[in-house]
Amino acid sequence: LDTLPAASPTDIPFIIRLFENPSSWIAFPGAITLARHDAIHVLLGRGLSNQDEAFVIGFTMGAAGGIKDWQMRLFRFIATRLYPQPYRWNEREIMAYDLAYAKARGSAARDLEHFPFERFLDLPVDELRRRLGIDAQKLYATYRFEKILLPDTPASRRLDADWQGVDPSDTVPPEGAESGWVRDKSKASAQTPPTTPP
């Protein structure tokens, strides 16, 4: 946090503060103070590009209790159509936002905007992730997927996609329900075609 270049609240355009500042009466779920928002940047290991910003906001909103899908879609519209440059998101940044939103919804992380990060600055990042329900292996697996979705962006090239030196996709099972399918060896061997021509 000490080395993260942080913007002053007065540098943030009014329209962004209107929708993202928790003191605004029309702020979206997951609206968070700048200091806590910066802490989530560190917690998720993200930089300051628009793609990183979209991921951090998507994850924070996805973890917000009570958020509705229409609110997520409305925010996407505002960020791509109403936000001024250079804050306006493009299609690539929306993909990062959507990915983070979905991953947070499926995680144990909840209501990060209310967590008092300022009282836990002495904790290692891994410990804080555990306390907040952020699975490090799944987070790094998400970054590997993001690099596949957005391979040519500076933010994707900078992402650390290895978890403790291991490809997380080797340790995180694929998403989806178990099929319950079991091979019947006796039937399989009976149906195996001959290996030599008749």
Side-chain angles (χ1 to χ4, degrees):
L1 279 174
D2 289 340
T3 60
L4 188 71
S8 164
T10 56
D11 294 334
I12 307 298
F14 172 75
I15 190 170
I16 294 178
R17 286 183 277 132
L18 193 63
F19 295 117
E20 297 184 34
N21 188 321
S23 64
S24 169
W25 66 278
I26 59 170
F28 281 88
I32 189 170
T33 65
L34 272 179
R36 291 181 180 179
H37 173 80
D38 290 345
I40 294 179
H41 270 271
V42 175
L43 189 69
L44 298 178
R46 300 301 300 225
L48 299 174
S49 72
N50 269 7
Q51 182 178 329
D52 293 312
E53 192 66 30
F55 191 96
V56 169
I57 292 173
F59 199 94
T60 307
M61 289 183 77
I67 190 167
K68 307 288 190 251
D69 283 343
W70 69 265
Q71 292 171 308
M72 180 269 286
R73 290 192 299 273
L74 178 58
F75 183 82
R76 290 165 95 252
F77 174 83
I78 291 168
T80 56
R81 303 294 175 87
L82 303 183
Y83 277 7
Q85 294 293 356
Y87 301 94
R88 184 176 298 173
W89 294 349
N90 59 31
E91 184 180 344
R92 294 185 305 274
E93 286 134 20
I94 284 295
M95 290 172 72
Y97 169 83
D98 289 346
L99 176 63
Y101 180 89
K103 292 301 178 181
R105 297 300 290 163
S107 77
R110 284 294 169 267
D111 298 320
L112 299 177
E113 70 275 18
H114 298 307
F115 185 79
F117 289 98
E118 57 278 1
R119 288 173 26 203
F120 294 91
L121 297 178
D122 58 333
L123 281 185
V125 170
D126 286 342
E127 173 61 24
L128 201 50
R129 284 175 177 163
R130 278 192 293 274
R131 286 191 185 203
L132 292 172
I134 299 172
D135 185 306
Q137 287 176 278
K138 290 182 179 178
L139 182 64
Y140 281 72
T142 300
Y143 291 160
R144 185 165 289 270
F145 185 52
E146 187 177 353
K147 286 171 82 85
I148 293 169
L149 283 176
L150 304 167
D152 299 323
T153 65
S156 290
R157 287 194 293 271
R158 187 191 47 75
L159 281 175
D160 184 1
D162 290 333
W163 179 75
Q164 298 180 349
V166 176
D167 177 346
S169 60
D170 291 339
T171 59
V172 176
E175 293 180 359
E178 295 288 339
S179 69
W181 180 84
V182 178
R183 179 184 297 276
D184 185 331
K185 291 184 179 178
S186 61
K187 289 181 182 177
S189 59
Q191 294 174 356
T192 303
T195 55
T196 56

